[in-house]
Amino acid sequence: MAGLREDPVLGIDGIKREKELGTEVNTKAEDKGAESERDMAPPPHPSTTSIHRSGSRPQLDLSKAAIQGNSEERDPTILLPNQSDDISSHLSLDIGGSLIKLVYFSRHEQYSIDDERKKSVKERLGISNGNRRNYPILGGRLHFVKFETHKINECLDFIYSKQLHRGGIDSQSWLPDAPPNENSIIKATGGGAYKYTDLFKQRLGVTLDKEDEMDCLVAGANFLLKAIRHEAFTHMEGQKKFVQIDPNELFPYLLVNIGSGVDGDGQFQRISGTNVGGGTYWGLGRLLTKCKSFDELLELSQRGDNRTIDMLVGDIYGGMDYSKIGLSASTIASSFGKAISENKELDDYRPEDISLSLLRMISYNIGQIAYLNALRFGLKRIFFGGFFIRGHAYTMDTISFAVQFWSQGEAQAMFLRHEGFLGALGAFMSYEKHGLDDLMVHQLVERFPMGAPYTGGNIHGPPLGDLNEKASTISWMEKFVQKGTEIIAPVPMAPHGTTGLGGFEVPSSKGGTLRSDASTLNIGVLHLVPTLEVFPLLADAKTYEPNTIDLTDPSELEYWITVLSEHLPNLVDIAVASEGGTDDAKRRGDAFAHAFSAHLARLIEDPAAYGKLGLANLLELREDCLREFQFVDAYRSIKQRENEASLAVLSDLLTELDGMSEEVRLVTLIEGVLAANIFDWGSRACVDLYHKGTIIEIYRMSRDKMQRPWRVDDFDVFKERMLGSGDKKPPPHKRALLFVDNSGADVVLGMLPLARELLRRGTEVVLVANSLPALNDITAMELPAIVAEAAKHCDILRSAAEAGGLLVDAMVSGLDGPKENSSPVVPLMVVENGCGGPCIDLRQVSSELAAAAKDADLIILEGMGRSLHTNFNARFKCDALKLAMVKNHRLAKNLINGNIYDCVCRYEPAS
């Protein structure tokens, strides 16, 4: 078995670490294909080797660090006046003979106001601004980019255009007055780090600091397997299945590049090597088929039939199995065996058949040798990577089959989504100041912009930041729009001589089950968000699965993609209108429609293209795509109009509620939440309703239908917990987290009155809202103004809002009359949930919400996205109430065996 690195590399090396066993199989040949003495030598005796870390690592000098500009901004720019070391470590490289892989970092661009409300919430919840680390993790994005090595000048142009060799364009915010550092150091690995060192110095004025290849491969693999939730997957019979691996149970494992093995975070061991592998496949393939590239050889294999060349068991036994030793008639007895007995010349055989036979021969041998090495060390988990794999479906299938066959099903072959970037990522991690080793899986969010680097494609960079920026003679946006409906998948293309911001092209591979990597996996941008945490009230975070709907079911995926496609024209109209209907807005709206349709087309073609897919991911992909085309809040004018209409009748509703008995008021409040949840611009049925009446008319109509029993009706159990039975009165909840949903009637006439009732009973209330806009969902930035308006007519809300820091001076001046003297006031607070979609994954919530949850004993999840699409089956350590009106026919039928507009009131006492 051999590892073809990004140059013509042959071999398998094994790596062993102190706690974890992973093996790196990677023995290089010279660029001309000659084998080194090490390649032909017997495998070295296993010995422990410490992973090398460079001593010349630049560090951040945080002394006298100060906020630059507006200190009220979230994630404000930090000025480091005493920073003297080079900080160009925003970039690392793995330079192979075929591909150059880049990993680079860019800072986040999104800001929000750190206002008095947030400061008050932080004080009350005990959230510290201190850092647990002695160095900061830079919140931002980690990009993965590939170039063909023979186009290295384009790679250099890209690095220069983004100033990555000087820390990136955004580095000026760290050291705005610093002169350019012409002695910058960039971490690099691979043979090209030596071959092209002079070129980098000449073109960019930088020095390449070489990192050991195996060190980097192991470090990169360990980081990905521990920090990315669904990094690893199996591949059998054309089907990907993502595997979630507990970081505490990761080691030992075998890493094959093609081949390697790892036994801890500090040491590793090379355990084996072979001179037959990827380089063999490419070299023999060129001689036998005249193919000029590795990809061309793989493309041929997709159309091949190896039975014309390989001798099968059935050929020997007259079409019969050799069942006594477990061999089927289709088992290959001898690769290329028929060429011995047939009187044929090379030209008599189809190149396609030769390529496939050769691919099978080498893949099966790789799988067998890997398993034998795993057996030698008692390992059952084997990860495969390297240039030979490169996402090719048939290659992965044959390797998986070989491992399964020889291990009799006891061992499993697995593959990595980022496998091509292991070396570059390992080199990047050698910059300790980034703190990647401390990142947890919940602090990484993968996004898939249209300009994301594409495995096997030619994109070289992130999405365009300025739509007017030119790439060559025509803008990126114009190129995209011109493609129109021709775009069947988001495969970006970078023309020669540009900065890598080119247009989009149709993928070269179409149809068939034997697909090259040009249609298998997309690698997105990793957002590093150190402020994300696991929701502490989950009963079991390890088994928690947010998505209720299984999109691995093809019919489910097709249905929901159809729903999103049908809703797309209406969404585009709203988005364009939100920007004033200008020509520029129309242009961006058209491009957004094409882009999102391309994403959907890719997912129909390959549901696993972006990793494990749930409905929450699908819906958030739409919001990400909107933001990519600069539609920050498409529904803002609609939300404002609905908020104003709802606030106008809130006072009358509160007066009506106050005139009711306690028991009647409680059921009326729940009815109000359910009725108000009808206002959902993400539902086709509800969009149709908006054309039939005003917001108040629709709300009244919905209230008239709120007769019990509801489809899921646990109200009586909830009522007993709230009010007790007979003379026995239960204590009030200490703190309630109310996950709110839509703007307008939903939050104003539904959730605010319920929050008021809890406050009246002495329960602290935390309103949990989106961090970023999604459809007509209310955001944490918008809620304080709504609460302030509501508080003008209600002493309970006014006192609680003041106690929770929601009423700043500008708002308080508009309130009517003095407050009534009452018992000690409990606070009403607002926190952001950390997400920007209509659903919520409680494995990734804001530190604000995590802090608020620590003393909470009641959770109320409201709305389809938060309590049906996600979290319907979630269990919590505290009491939980899930409220929603079902506004989708299929969801109603499959989830609750009901109908559209049925209601869910699901109460679950603390687990």
Side-chain angles (χ1 to χ4, degrees):
M1 175 169 60
L4 175 61
R5 299 276 305 137
E6 302 310 341
D7 42 0
V9 175
L10 310 175
I12 295 182
D13 298 342
I15 309 170
K16 186 173 180 183
R17 306 223 210 177
E18 250 175 48
K19 302 180 191 172
E20 315 139 22
L21 176 64
T23 298
E24 158 98 10
V25 182
N26 179 35
T27 305
K28 287 182 90 176
E30 298 299 322
D31 284 340
K32 294 182 180 180
E35 296 171 351
S36 66
E37 291 183 3
R38 188 182 66 155
D39 290 333
M40 300 303 297
H45 186 274
S47 59
T48 301
T49 307
S50 296
I51 289 185
H52 167 72
R53 293 297 185 200
S54 171
S56 60
R57 186 180 302 111
Q59 300 290 327
L60 289 179
D61 186 346
L62 302 181
S63 60
K64 296 185 180 180
I67 302 295
Q68 183 183 35
N70 184 2
S71 63
E72 299 297 311
E73 291 181 345
R74 180 188 181 186
D75 301 326
T77 297
I78 299 175
L79 178 65
L80 304 179
N82 294 333
Q83 177 68 40
S84 56
D85 291 337
D86 171 56
I87 60 167
S88 64
S89 53
H90 287 69
L91 167 69
S92 64
L93 300 156
D94 181 359
I95 310 175
S98 299
L99 293 177
I100 303 172
K101 288 78 61 184
L102 287 78
V103 172
Y104 74 92
F105 174 87
S106 63
R107 298 188 65 200
H108 278 310
E109 300 169 354
Q110 297 161 342
Y111 299 93
S112 63
I113 304 300
D114 189 11
D115 55 23
E116 294 298 325
R117 170 196 66 80
K118 295 190 72 172
K119 292 178 181 177
S120 175
V121 167
K122 287 182 178 180
E123 291 175 2
R124 180 170 291 279
L125 298 179
I127 300 176
S128 170
N129 289 324
N131 199 311
R132 295 189 304 271
R133 307 170 181 86
N134 58 8
Y135 51 86
I137 287 182
L138 302 179
R141 295 175 298 274
L142 206 57
H143 304 264
F144 301 86
V145 185
K146 283 185 179 180
F147 287 86
E148 294 181 39
T149 304
H150 69 89
K151 297 180 180 179
I152 191 170
N153 286 324
E154 289 186 14
C155 174
L156 295 169
D157 290 342
F158 172 73
I159 293 172
Y160 183 84
S161 71
K162 291 188 171 296
Q163 292 291 290
L164 297 179
H165 58 307
R166 295 177 178 173
I169 295 174
D170 56 14
S171 66
Q172 296 306 308
S173 61
W174 287 85
L175 294 168
D177 300 321
N181 188 343
E182 297 300 334
N183 296 310
S184 298
I185 295 175
I186 294 176
K187 296 285 186 179
T189 190
Y194 297 86
K195 182 176 182 178
Y196 296 109
T197 187
D198 292 340
L199 182 62
F200 273 80
K201 186 69 174 180
Q202 177 185 355
R203 289 284 309 275
L204 300 177
V206 299
T207 299
L208 297 183
D209 186 9
K210 289 87 171 175
E211 293 286 326
D212 182 79
E213 282 191 74
M214 288 192 182
D215 291 344
C216 292
L217 284 164
V218 173
N222 282 336
F223 168 74
L224 291 168
L225 288 168
K226 289 189 295 183
I228 308 298
R229 180 164 285 115
H230 293 111
E231 173 65 23
F233 63 94
T234 60
H235 202 290
M236 289 292 289
E237 298 180 354
Q239 298 298 313
K240 300 188 196 74
K241 183 178 180 182
F242 288 93
V243 180
Q244 179 56 34
I245 301 172
D246 187 333
N248 297 319
E249 300 174 359
L250 172 61
F251 305 100
Y253 69 81
L254 188 72
L255 174 63
V256 181
N257 189 58
I258 274 238
S260 317
V262 185
D263 182 28
D265 271 336
Q267 288 114 15
F268 60 84
Q269 185 180 92
R270 181 181 186 271
I271 63 172
S272 182
T274 177
N275 63 339
V276 176
T280 310
Y281 175 61
W282 192 352
L284 285 176
R286 290 186 67 181
L287 293 175
L288 297 175
T289 69
K290 309 303 182 183
C291 284
K292 297 181 180 179
S293 73
F294 193 88
D295 282 331
E296 185 182 352
L297 193 61
L298 285 177
E299 287 286 341
L300 278 181
S301 73
Q302 298 186 55
R303 304 187 298 273
D305 183 353
N306 68 300
R307 294 174 298 180
T308 64
I309 298 178
D310 293 341
M311 183 176 292
L312 310 182
V313 169
D315 295 325
I316 301 173
Y317 290 93
M320 303 294 290
D321 296 339
Y322 191 176
S323 56
K324 183 176 180 179
I325 59 174
L327 296 179
S328 68
S330 61
T331 300
I332 298 175
S334 175
S335 293
F336 291 87
K338 286 183 179 176
I340 299 174
S341 57
E342 294 176 340
N343 187 23
K344 292 183 179 180
E345 300 297 328
L346 178 61
D347 291 341
D348 296 327
Y349 293 98
R350 297 172 65 238
E352 293 88 344
D353 301 338
I354 293 173
S355 176
L356 182 57
S357 178
L358 187 60
L359 180 63
R360 276 196 163 195
M361 179 184 77
I362 292 174
S363 296
Y364 283 147
N365 275 273
I366 286 173
Q368 182 181 18
I369 295 175
Y371 167 67
L372 292 175
N373 276 287
L375 183 67
R376 175 186 173 196
F377 287 93
L379 307 175
K380 294 186 178 180
R381 187 179 290 145
I382 310 172
F383 297 101
F384 292 86
F387 187 72
F388 180 65
I389 302 293
R390 63 185 327 185
H392 190 259
Y394 195 80
T395 304
M396 291 186 286
D397 267 358
T398 52
I399 290 175
S400 297
F401 177 82
V403 171
Q404 183 184 53
F405 177 85
W406 291 108
S407 71
Q408 296 183 338
E410 292 188 2
Q412 192 175 42
M414 286 183 282
F415 307 90
L416 305 177
R417 294 183 58 240
H418 292 80
E419 61 87 12
F421 291 94
L422 300 186
L425 184 56
F428 187 87
M429 291 180 63
S430 67
Y431 298 110
E432 283 186 355
K433 73 173 193 299
H434 289 302
L436 290 186
D437 287 329
D438 287 340
L439 282 172
M440 303 295 288
V441 61
H442 56 266
Q443 295 172 324
L444 293 161
V445 183
E446 190 171 18
R447 300 288 185 228
F448 295 92
M450 289 301 298
Y454 184 70
T455 306
N458 299 310
I459 182 60
H460 308 310
L464 204 61
D466 179 0
L467 293 176
N468 294 318
E469 186 175 345
K470 297 293 181 180
S472 185
T473 59
I474 187 169
S475 76
W476 172 87
M477 180 65 68
E478 287 165 352
K479 286 185 177 182
F480 187 85
V481 174
Q482 283 180 0
K483 291 295 177 184
T485 56
E486 291 180 348
I487 302 170
I488 62 171
V491 185
M493 189 78 180
H496 176 75
T498 75
T499 59
L501 301 170
F504 293 80
E505 298 291 345
V506 177
S508 59
S509 299
K510 300 178 183 178
T513 58
L514 307 180
R515 304 304 301 267
S516 74
D517 64 343
S519 62
T520 49
L521 292 175
N522 259 61
I523 304 301
V525 175
L526 283 182
H527 289 241
L528 283 59
V529 191
T531 56
L532 290 180
E533 300 186 30
V534 177
F535 190 57
L537 292 177
L538 288 172
D540 186 353
K542 288 186 177 181
T543 61
Y544 167 77
E545 169 56 49
N547 292 288
T548 305
I549 299 166
D550 183 11
L551 292 187
T552 61
D553 180 341
S555 65
E556 285 288 351
L557 179 62
E558 183 179 359
Y559 171 79
W560 288 102
I561 285 183
T562 300
V563 168
L564 293 177
S565 298
E566 291 176 347
H567 183 249
L568 189 56
N570 182 71
L571 178 58
V572 171
D573 289 344
I574 291 173
V576 171
S578 72
E579 299 286 335
T582 63
D583 289 342
D584 176 67
K586 292 176 182 177
R587 180 168 163 261
R588 287 185 285 119
D590 182 54
F592 156 71
H594 287 317
F596 187 57
S597 296
H599 279 300
L600 297 181
R602 166 58 51 81
L603 292 172
I604 283 289
E605 178 189 22
D606 183 359
Y610 298 168
K612 186 176 180 181
L613 185 69
L615 187 56
N617 311 110
L618 193 58
L619 295 175
E620 190 144 14
L621 177 63
R622 176 182 60 188
E623 303 304 323
D624 287 336
C625 201
L626 274 170
R627 286 187 278 269
E628 182 180 0
F629 289 93
Q630 300 182 1
F631 294 107
V632 178
D633 187 358
Y635 287 81
R636 60 173 175 263
S637 59
I638 293 173
K639 291 191 291 183
Q640 182 178 0
R641 181 171 66 248
E642 294 186 355
N643 288 338
E644 291 173 353
S646 301
L647 285 165
V649 298
L650 176 63
S651 179
D652 292 340
L653 174 61
L654 297 182
T655 300
E656 181 183 346
L657 289 168
D658 289 341
M660 299 175 181
S661 67
E662 194 174 43
E663 184 173 335
V664 173
R665 184 165 67 244
L666 185 61
V667 70
T668 303
L669 285 165
I670 300 301
E671 287 177 349
V673 172
L674 294 172
N677 190 235
I678 196 172
F679 295 96
D680 187 346
W681 280 87
S683 165
R684 167 64 63 182
C686 297
V687 170
D688 293 340
L689 280 178
Y690 294 134
H691 301 297
K692 300 177 182 178
T694 66
I695 182 173
I696 301 304
E697 289 171 341
I698 298 171
Y699 175 67
R700 287 173 180 163
M701 176 197 70
S702 183
R703 283 298 298 265
D704 291 340
K705 296 182 178 181
M706 287 297 107
Q707 300 301 313
R708 296 183 64 201
W710 301 309
R711 178 60 63 176
V712 177
D713 194 340
D714 296 334
F715 174 78
D716 290 335
V717 184
F718 176 67
K719 182 184 72 173
E720 184 172 350
R721 169 59 186 89
M722 295 291 291
L723 306 180
S725 58
D727 295 332
K728 186 178 181 180
K729 298 293 182 183
H733 290 96
K734 180 180 179 181
R735 176 182 292 168
L737 304 180
L738 274 59
F739 288 76
V740 297
D741 189 7
N742 304 302
S743 297
D746 199 356
V747 66
V748 175
L749 304 180
M751 291 298 276
L752 271 184
L754 180 58
R756 177 177 178 262
E757 182 68 16
L758 292 168
L759 292 166
R760 188 204 298 269
R761 295 173 178 278
T763 300
E764 293 183 2
V765 174
V766 181
L767 300 176
V768 184
N770 265 20
S771 298
L772 296 173
L775 294 172
N776 63 318
D777 290 0
I778 193 71
T779 68
M781 288 289 291
E782 297 164 337
L783 258 181
I786 292 174
V787 171
E789 285 298 316
K792 292 180 180 180
H793 311 290
C794 174
D795 287 341
I796 296 174
L797 289 176
R798 174 178 177 175
S799 299
E802 285 183 343
L806 293 180
L807 303 183
V808 296
D809 292 340
M811 296 177 181
V812 173
S813 61
L815 300 182
D816 300 328
K819 292 185 297 182
E820 296 178 1
N821 293 326
S822 59
S823 57
V825 176
V826 291
L828 172 64
M829 295 173 279
V830 171
V831 300
E832 58 182 83
N833 59 19
C835 78
C839 300
I840 185 168
D841 183 342
L842 293 173
R843 294 170 299 194
Q844 294 180 304
V845 303
S846 70
S847 55
E848 274 188 5
L849 175 52
K854 290 176 182 177
D855 292 322
D857 50 3
L858 174 63
I859 294 171
I860 299 179
L861 288 160
E862 183 246 353
M864 281 211 309
R866 292 156 185 80
S867 64
L868 297 184
H869 291 151
T870 53
N871 302 305
F872 187 67
N873 299 318
R875 294 295 178 264
F876 300 94
K877 298 176 182 177
C878 66
D879 295 348
L881 181 66
K882 301 169 184 177
L883 302 170
M885 175 184 284
V886 186
K887 291 150 288 189
N888 177 276
H889 290 279
R890 189 181 183 95
L891 186 67
K893 180 180 178 181
N894 293 348
L895 191 61
I896 61 173
N897 192 28
N899 301 298
I900 194 168
Y901 302 132
D902 277 347
C903 292
V904 172
C905 175
R906 187 173 188 175
Y907 178 68
E908 298 156 345
S911 298

